[in-house]
Amino acid sequence: HRSRDKEKASGMTRLTFICHGATAAIRQARFPLDEALEDKAMIDARALAPAIPRADRIMTSPALRTRQTADALGLGAEVVPTLADCDYGRWAVQSIMALQQSEPDALSAWLTDTDAAPHGGESIRALHDRVAPWMQAQSALGGHAIAISHAPTIRLAVLIALGAPLSSFWHIDVEPLSAVRMTSNGTRWSLRFDRV
């Protein structure tokens, strides 16, 4: 494939993040644990499979929902723990609405302070500190990589590509089965928007 050979020769890295398909937790505004994809998400992912470009490296988070997405897309992916979702600690499976009632101050802290981890899991900063070195390593490899991951992890990748402050984390929406593309010349990342 000519464009992939050109990328590898130039040292350019192309990174495509794909967000896993929809789950019951997404629909119910709950913090996820390790639930499966909904049946419709499996069907939707299979329909997208023919449009997925070839890649030199295909990776997925360890979560069931990302591995199922990779399978439905017809991608044999290596499990990479760094691509995991944010660790929500004791909030896993709880709904935002329930937490607004039971722990309003803690939820507010989580939504406004990127260093806060009131649930006992990861803060947004800790997630950043996990994802940033992985992206740096990818930028040195060249070629095209596909990473099937989670909305929070992909949001962080966008912030890293833009050099944006962590406080911008909550201003990015990543829909199920959406793709976010970026390129690196080895020193900096750029977001990439392709034609429809």
Side-chain angles (χ1 to χ4, degrees):
H1 192 280
R2 193 173 299 161
S3 66
R4 286 167 70 220
D5 293 342
K6 196 167 145 187
E7 278 166 6
K8 283 186 113 170
S10 70
M12 180 73 71
T13 299
R14 198 159 49 110
L15 178 55
T16 301
F17 279 98
I18 299 174
C19 188
H20 64 76
T23 66
I26 291 173
R27 206 167 21 81
Q28 297 162 6
R30 285 189 290 107
F31 285 97
L33 191 53
D34 195 22
E35 68 278 349
L37 291 182
E38 294 185 323
D39 290 344
K40 184 179 184 309
M42 294 286 282
I43 294 165
D44 291 345
R46 284 189 197 108
L48 290 175
I52 302 297
R54 291 186 56 191
D56 302 292
R57 300 177 302 286
I58 302 171
M59 297 155 282
T60 182
S61 151
L64 176 61
R65 56 197 181 278
T66 54
R67 290 183 287 114
Q68 286 181 324
T69 300
D71 289 346
L73 290 170
L75 301 174
E78 173 195 357
V79 172
V80 176
T82 305
L83 294 172
D85 199 353
C86 187
D87 176 358
Y88 299 109
R90 61 188 172 79
W91 285 0
V93 310
Q94 294 198 56
S95 72
I96 304 285
M97 193 174 290
L99 288 167
Q100 284 171 338
Q101 300 298 315
S102 62
E103 299 185 56
D105 293 343
L107 184 62
S108 177
W110 163 251
L111 295 171
T112 56
D113 179 358
T114 57
D115 289 310
H119 42 54
E122 280 181 302
S123 66
I124 301 304
R125 187 170 305 281
L127 180 60
H128 170 274
D129 293 347
R130 169 158 57 89
V131 175
W134 178 84
M135 285 184 63
Q136 187 59 42
Q138 290 300 311
S139 74
L141 294 176
H144 182 208
I146 292 176
I148 300 155
S149 191
H150 309 267
T153 310
I154 297 169
R155 285 182 192 170
L156 246 307
V158 170
L159 294 183
I160 291 164
L162 294 175
L166 290 183
S167 57
S168 301
F169 177 84
W170 299 108
H171 298 284
I172 299 169
D173 286 330
V174 179
E175 293 291 315
L177 294 178
S178 62
V180 175
R181 297 174 179 87
M182 50 190 74
T183 57
S184 173
N185 62 5
T187 57
R188 67 179 180 84
W189 287 99
S190 301
L191 285 186
R192 172 178 164 163
F193 297 91
D194 297 327
R195 284 183 292 185
V196 177

